[in-house]
């Protein structure tokens, strides 16, 4: 099966661009080259910007029902093409094929949801204080959007931006990750084959800093949406400020998992092991710091270690693989630094702790016990398959430690005590909290963080709202 044909999408045309420069896309399971990605020149970016203005002028006037019909057709095309797109997603990103298929299924779900929700963007009529005056609140698409997304979910990160913008009546120019461009391009092809007008969706690749500074300097975009790390999010927000561009920031996290002694420990371990090693831990809402109440610490840590050590690590295309490689070689060194720091801090290595093969960027599912809060891994986002476990004694201590970092994306807890759950629900500082599960994402619920993890939800009515402006009109006749 051949890899996606790599190209830029500008003004409805698939093009190799005019820079003459390319970047090699690599399969992280084998280190083999998959293809050469064309990089956009400044002239290509200018063409994309103009196309996005033209596309917006057409799309904002297109009735929501027609927009939804094109989105539905796109969803069906993606379903028909699922086998090929999912296999290529696995080849460029590394995650197991079953996870790639689930991700693509979730992306299609998001696409359909935004398509339908676009039909329910209502304004309202506010009774006036003056007889004969009509007061109308109007919700309108904000304008051309620019978006930048990380590589860890090549389908869903892209779709949350693209479907939100397109469902709301905006145009969008997106730069997906240069490490995982094929999935974004396949999504773009489905939109174009479904009849999306030229310029409504533009896809560019290149040097990220050059692209974002050039796009942000233009007067055309009215909104910037970013999924990635906290430092880059802060940098982009500064660039957007000069043009008073609205931002949505989906940034990093460091999710605490609080396991109380009254919890169903077997269920907690099952959930946590599955969640921790999903996508090799390269998930912004990955369960990250496991704080376990003393009475159940040994039971939890032992069962966690036993299950983690049984996971099959390998090429995501192999049927038996539970966990694939890290996105690239550079991430192995990051894991080794976390390990060296934790071990020198007195943590116990329960399983794993090292790279597994030299032919791909594989790192073993790792469990560390008795990790203290001053270890690097308890403070910085690991974005990898290392699970640090630590003890706590009281509810107050657990809450205080859960809240001590600047991040505030997801948090999890396992308890059967309703009073404990109520305390967590009001005291934990996170955009999303799941009690007795790790489920925080669906098309119809708001996904997003607080504090340094960003702002502006994706999905749900809140997600749609971020692509809309509010205008107020009075009429007296
Ligand atoms: P990163 O911020 O370095 O890169 C993310 C993306 O931004 C990449 O595609 C990169 O090409 C692009 N980028 C980098 N510099 C840029 C610039 N100056 N202008 C425009 N784009 C730029 O992050 P990473 O380490 O590659 O990705 C992982 C991070 O993303 C983690 O912190 C993770 O938590 C976060 N993330 C957050 C969410 C969420 O929804 N909150 C989802 C997925 C990933």
């Amino acid at each position: 099966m051949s890899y996606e044909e790599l190209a830029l999408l500008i003004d409805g045309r698939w093009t190799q661009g005019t820079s003459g420069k390319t970047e090699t896309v690599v399969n992280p399971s084998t280190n083999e080259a998959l293809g050469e990605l064309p990089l956009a020149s400044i002239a290509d970016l200018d063409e994309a910007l103009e196309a996005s203005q033209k596309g917006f002028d057409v799309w904002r006037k297109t009735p929501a029902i027609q927009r939804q019909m094109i989105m539905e057709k796109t969803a069906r095309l993606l379903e028909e093409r699922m086998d090929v797109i999912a296999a290529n997603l696995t080849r460029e990103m590394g995650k197991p094929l079953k996870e790639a298929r689930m991700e693509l299924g979730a992306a299609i779900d998001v696409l359909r949801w935004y398509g339908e929700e676009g039909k329910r963007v209502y304004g309202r009529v506010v009774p006036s204080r003056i007889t004969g005056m009509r007061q109308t609140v109007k919700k309108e698409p904000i304008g051309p959007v620019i978006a930048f997304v990380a590589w860890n979910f090549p389908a869903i990160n892209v779709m949350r931006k693209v479907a939100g913008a397109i469902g709301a009546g905006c145009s969008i120019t997106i730069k997906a990750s240069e490490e995982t461009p094929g999935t974004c391009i396949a999504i773009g092809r489905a939109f174009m084959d479904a009849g999306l007008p030229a310029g409504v969706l533009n896809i560019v690749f290149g040097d990220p800093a050059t692209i974002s500074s050039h796009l942000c300097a233009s007067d055309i975009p009215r909104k910037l949406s970013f999924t990635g790390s906290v430092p880059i999010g802060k940098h982009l927000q500064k660039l957007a400020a000069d043009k008073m561009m609205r931002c949505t920031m989906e940034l990093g996290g460091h999710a605490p998992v609080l396991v109380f002694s009254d919890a169903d420990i077997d269920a907690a371990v099952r959930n946590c092991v599955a969640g921790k090693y999903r996508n090799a831990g390269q998930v912004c809402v990955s369960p990250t710091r496991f704080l376990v109440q003393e009475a159940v610490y040994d039971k939890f840590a032992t069962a966690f270690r036993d299950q983690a050590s049984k996971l099959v690590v390998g090429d995501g295309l192999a049927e038996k693989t539970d966990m694939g490689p890290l996105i690239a070689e550079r991430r192995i060194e990051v894991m080794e630094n976390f390990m060296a720091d934790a071990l020198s801090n007195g943590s116990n290595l329960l399983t794993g702790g090292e790279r597994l093969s030299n032919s791909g960027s594989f790192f073993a599912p790792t469990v560390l016990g008795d990790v203290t809060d001053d270890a690097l891994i308890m403070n910085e986002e690991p974005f990898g398959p290392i699970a640090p476990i630590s003890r706590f004694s009281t509810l107050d201590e657990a809450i205080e430690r859960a809240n001590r970092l600047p991040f505030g994306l997801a948090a999890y807890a396992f308890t059967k005590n309703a009073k404990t759950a109520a305390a967590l629900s009001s005291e934990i500082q996170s955009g999303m909290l799941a009690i007795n599960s790790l489920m925080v994402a669906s098309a119809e619920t708001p996904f997003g963080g607080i504090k340094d993890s960003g702002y502006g939800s994706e999905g749900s009515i809140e997600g749609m709202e971020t692509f809309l402006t509010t205008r107020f009109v009075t009429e007296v006749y």
Side-chain angles (χ1 to χ4, degrees):
M1 190 192 294
S2 61
Y3 181 57
E4 189 72 37
E5 202 180 311
L6 300 175
L8 312 173
L9 174 61
I10 298 177
D11 202 8
R13 284 177 301 108
W14 293 99
T15 164
Q16 293 300 300
T18 58
S19 78
K21 293 186 188 149
T22 62
E23 190 171 317
T24 306
V25 181
V26 174
N27 179 337
S29 286
T30 59
N31 289 339
E32 282 164 5
L34 289 170
E36 287 298 317
L37 177 68
L39 306 181
S41 66
I42 294 294
D44 298 329
L45 297 179
D46 286 337
E47 204 186 333
L49 282 165
E50 274 169 39
S52 74
Q53 182 62 59
K54 209 177 65 186
F56 176 63
D57 293 340
V58 171
W59 197 237
R60 76 185 176 90
K61 292 185 193 142
T62 304
I65 186 127
Q66 283 178 28
R67 299 201 290 248
Q68 183 268 328
M69 283 159 74
I70 290 176
M71 293 171 82
E72 174 57 30
K73 193 164 174 199
T74 307
R76 288 187 191 170
L77 288 174
L78 288 171
E79 279 167 346
E80 279 168 36
R81 300 171 187 179
M82 166 81 86
D83 289 349
V84 174
I85 302 175
N88 280 334
L89 193 162
T90 288
R91 292 165 82 194
E92 64 184 10
M93 202 266 129
K95 69 177 60 176
L97 190 55
K98 55 187 175 235
E99 286 186 30
R101 294 181 69 90
M102 274 168 56
E103 183 190 340
L104 212 50
I108 293 168
D109 194 18
V110 164
L111 171 60
R112 285 206 165 98
W113 193 88
Y114 271 120
E116 289 296 330
E117 190 64 9
K119 294 190 285 191
R120 292 186 281 269
V121 173
Y122 307 131
R124 64 188 194 280
V125 174
V126 180
S128 166
R129 296 179 177 206
I130 298 164
T131 306
M133 177 185 274
R134 189 166 60 185
Q135 304 189 123
T136 315
V137 179
K138 302 173 75 163
K139 296 283 178 185
E140 295 176 352
I142 189 165
V145 175
I146 52 175
F148 309 93
V149 292
W151 41 266
N152 62 336
F153 284 90
I156 197 99
N157 287 351
V158 167
M159 193 61 94
R160 282 194 178 126
K161 315 271 180 225
V162 169
I166 289 180
C170 299
S171 60
I172 178 164
T173 300
I174 188 163
K175 189 199 81 58
S177 168
E178 286 68 29
E179 287 175 313
T180 57
T183 306
C184 180
I185 289 168
I187 289 172
R189 286 193 206 286
F191 270 109
M192 297 318 292
D193 294 347
L196 191 73
V200 178
L201 171 62
N202 301 285
I203 299 173
V204 294
F205 298 99
D207 170 55
T210 307
I211 294 195
S212 57
S213 60
H214 192 74
L215 297 183
C216 285
S218 161
D219 287 329
I220 291 173
R222 295 311 320 139
K223 179 190 160 94
L224 183 155
S225 187
F226 176 63
T227 296
S229 63
V230 175
I232 302 291
K234 290 182 177 175
H235 166 71
L236 291 176
Q237 176 156 322
K238 286 178 197 146
L239 289 184
D242 280 343
K243 297 287 177 185
M244 202 52 79
M245 218 185 283
R246 191 194 290 173
C247 295
T248 291
M249 291 289 167
E250 295 287 355
L251 309 179
H254 204 291
V257 184
L258 311 180
V259 182
F260 291 85
S261 53
D262 55 53
D264 177 341
I265 300 300
D266 292 341
V269 172
R270 228 179 16 254
N271 273 280
C272 290
V273 171
K276 176 69 251 175
Y277 301 106
R278 177 165 80 102
N279 204 11
Q282 303 167 113
V283 180
C284 54
V285 292
S286 185
T288 301
R289 293 171 280 154
F290 297 87
L291 308 183
V292 183
Q293 204 156 19
E294 265 163 7
V296 290
Y297 177 92
D298 287 339
K299 185 176 179 194
F300 181 90
T302 306
F304 200 116
R305 177 205 60 199
D306 291 349
Q307 291 183 29
S309 58
K310 287 194 191 114
L311 294 173
V312 178
V313 181
D315 188 325
L317 290 178
E319 208 181 313
K320 291 204 170 112
T321 295
D322 295 313
M323 193 183 97
L326 300 177
I327 183 66
E329 185 64 27
R330 67 187 145 81
R331 299 294 306 166
I332 296 279
E333 200 183 317
V334 177
M335 295 307 121
E336 287 171 347
N337 277 344
F338 278 120
M339 288 307 301
D341 173 83
L343 295 176
S344 73
N345 250 302
S347 308
N348 302 321
L349 179 60
L350 301 182
T351 186
E354 58 196 3
R355 80 172 302 157
L356 287 179
S357 143
N358 286 322
S359 64
S361 41
F362 295 99
F363 198 85
T366 298
V367 184
L368 289 167
D370 284 310
V371 185
T372 53
D373 280 355
D374 54 355
L376 194 63
I377 197 160
M378 297 299 260
N379 297 280
E380 289 183 14
E381 189 181 20
F383 229 56
I386 307 176
I389 310 181
S390 183
R391 301 165 197 262
F392 75 86
S393 39
T394 65
L395 171 63
D396 286 349
E397 181 200 339
I399 292 173
E400 198 261 318
R401 288 174 66 192
N403 289 341
R404 77 182 175 82
L405 294 184
F407 298 102
L409 191 58
Y412 308 101
F414 290 86
T415 178
K416 283 187 190 149
N417 185 322
K419 224 170 145 187
T420 302
L424 299 174
S425 152
S426 71
E427 296 306 319
I428 294 292
Q429 297 164 4
S430 65
M432 295 165 282
L433 170 67
I435 294 175
N436 295 326
S437 86
L438 299 185
M439 285 186 283
V440 291
S442 73
E444 62 275 17
T445 53
F447 186 95
I450 59 173
K451 296 164 74 178
D452 263 8
S453 296
Y455 58 88
S457 305
E458 297 194 309
S460 186
I461 47 178
E462 286 83 2
M464 181 59 98
E465 187 71 32
T466 69
F467 293 99
L468 301 170
T469 46
T470 302
R471 288 180 57 237
F472 174 56
V473 177
T474 67
E475 299 158 73
V476 185
Y477 297 106

